[in-house]
Amino acid sequence: MAIAKAERLMNLALCLMNTRRPLSKRELRDSIEAYREISSADAFNRMFERDKDDLRELGLVIEIVDALDGDTGYVARRDRNRLPEIELDAEEAAALTLAARVWQQARLAGAASGALQKLRAAGVPFEEAGYADAESGHSVIEPRIPAHEPAFEPLMLAARDRRPVSFDYRKANAARPEAREVEPWALECWRGHWYLAGFDRVRGAGRVFRLSRITGRVRTRVGRYTAEVPDHVDVRQTVESWAGEGARGTARIRLRHGAGYPLRARALSAVAVDGGWDELEIPYGHGLDAWLVEFGPDALVLEPADLRADVIDRLRAVAHSG
């Protein structure tokens, strides 16, 4: 079985890399003997999708394009699947080793481990990096970036493969989610939360979405991107503007004991007051009202008055919509 699968994957890879135009599933089925032996169209589709995913896991870049006859076509262009010889010094190898240890998410952990094994087999000097413990073989530095949101993996794969997606998204000041259709650009973690930057087709502009506010399943759409992907996507700068970064003034708020740790991390000062509350002075900028609403009854704005009014308006909108 393993030999048959390896032969089938090899034949599929050769077909995709040696074609001058994208091939449809029907053409690939007619070209590969193992596929022709499958009588059920559903069984073939399932096998083809698994094989395609396996080839991508092995590093083959497979493009999905719309053919002239309306069918979806597949091609693996040689210029995108040819790498120069990899040469890394000890410091570069150490950086890769450290990056591979970051991921707690299972799929990324396996991919990172497999990549290191391939580079080690090619002679990359990981053992000389100086970050491994001689007896245990474990790194002294063990960074971690959690990725618990269910939407993380499908969005990561969609951004990698340049595939549009759709999902239901609940804004901070909304009681119910809204349908979004997005062309994913990049994912970034900021202060313990993952964010997606992409082109919102409905609104016709770039947007940033917090993954924890995505409800339900992320669905992949057929077709190519309609907007140009920027060379650089600064997700963090956009999110920081929501959270009041780059503020021109300060605000005084009260936080309940044991709550609002992200706000406490940004506080310029914090003083304990009676009744189980702390009084904080924090930077005040655009978007702070939306961020404060997320803390609900655990946060109380004292001043400035316009910030307090904005937060109250947002809370009332959520209450009325519920």
Side-chain angles (χ1 to χ4, degrees):
M1 291 293 292
I3 295 176
K5 179 178 180 179
E7 181 179 358
R8 189 175 70 245
L9 291 177
M10 179 64 72
N11 288 334
L12 177 58
L14 290 174
C15 282
L16 294 173
M17 294 185 67
N18 288 282
T19 179
R20 294 184 178 180
R21 61 173 179 82
L23 299 176
S24 66
K25 284 186 180 181
R26 176 181 52 81
E27 292 173 313
L28 289 168
R29 187 178 185 181
D30 293 339
S31 302
I32 299 175
E33 183 178 0
Y35 290 155
R36 292 199 302 268
E37 296 174 353
I38 303 176
S39 57
S40 169
D42 290 340
F44 159 70
N45 286 330
R46 290 194 297 269
M47 177 178 286
F48 174 76
E49 292 300 326
R50 288 196 301 267
D51 290 349
K52 179 163 56 70
D53 290 341
D54 287 341
L55 288 178
R56 280 178 168 151
E57 289 291 337
L58 294 172
L60 190 69
V61 180
I62 301 175
E63 298 180 32
I64 303 177
V65 298
D66 293 330
L68 294 177
D69 57 3
D71 291 337
T72 300
Y74 304 87
V75 63
R77 305 188 192 280
R78 290 195 175 189
D79 58 344
R80 297 194 61 189
N81 287 283
R82 183 182 294 114
L83 293 175
E85 184 177 351
I86 299 176
E87 296 182 359
L88 301 175
D89 58 28
E91 292 183 357
E92 292 169 331
L96 282 180
T97 304
L98 197 60
R101 295 180 182 275
V102 164
W103 298 105
Q104 289 181 336
Q105 211 264 355
R107 187 184 185 103
L108 290 178
S113 176
L116 289 184
Q117 290 178 5
K118 294 175 183 177
L119 290 173
R120 186 177 288 108
V124 175
F126 288 114
E127 289 75 12
E128 301 173 13
Y131 285 96
D133 182 279
E135 296 181 0
S136 66
H138 297 297
S139 171
V140 177
I141 303 175
E142 293 287 344
R144 290 290 185 265
I145 296 180
H148 302 305
E149 291 88 348
F152 176 82
E153 184 171 319
L155 289 176
M156 176 197 70
L157 297 177
R160 182 195 68 181
D161 300 334
R162 292 291 187 258
R163 289 182 290 175
V165 297
S166 61
F167 50 79
D168 294 330
Y169 187 77
R170 180 185 56 80
K171 295 189 293 185
N173 60 342
R176 294 181 178 85
E178 299 177 352
R180 300 294 184 96
E181 189 172 337
V182 179
E183 299 172 9
W185 292 342
L187 288 160
E188 186 165 343
C189 185
W190 186 77
R191 292 186 175 173
H193 296 287
W194 279 98
Y195 296 87
L196 167 73
F199 180 77
D200 189 323
R201 287 181 169 179
V202 176
R203 288 153 182 79
R207 290 290 188 270
V208 173
F209 306 91
R210 181 163 155 176
L211 266 60
S212 62
R213 296 189 186 136
I214 295 177
T215 62
R217 187 172 61 91
V218 175
R219 301 170 293 278
T220 303
R221 313 280 299 187
V222 177
R224 64 180 65 186
Y225 280 15
T226 59
E228 184 178 354
V229 179
D231 293 333
H232 175 69
V233 182
D234 197 337
V235 181
R236 183 168 302 184
Q237 183 179 10
T238 302
V239 179
E240 284 177 346
S241 67
W242 294 351
E245 298 290 340
R248 298 179 181 177
T250 59
R252 283 197 311 120
I253 66 170
R254 285 195 176 185
L255 279 179
R256 201 184 304 274
H257 288 337
Y261 289 104
L263 290 171
R264 296 177 187 276
R266 300 182 60 250
L268 303 176
S269 64
V271 179
V273 296
D274 295 336
W277 293 81
D278 298 322
E279 188 170 308
L280 283 69
E281 183 181 7
I282 61 175
Y284 173 30
H286 172 71
L288 182 59
D289 55 336
W291 196 31
L292 289 171
V293 168
E294 297 182 17
F295 299 96
D298 293 327
L300 176 65
V301 179
L302 301 178
E303 59 181 28
D306 56 345
L307 174 62
R308 179 182 174 86
D310 289 341
V311 171
I312 292 175
D313 287 343
R314 285 180 177 272
L315 290 172
R316 283 175 176 167
V318 173
H320 291 162
S321 61

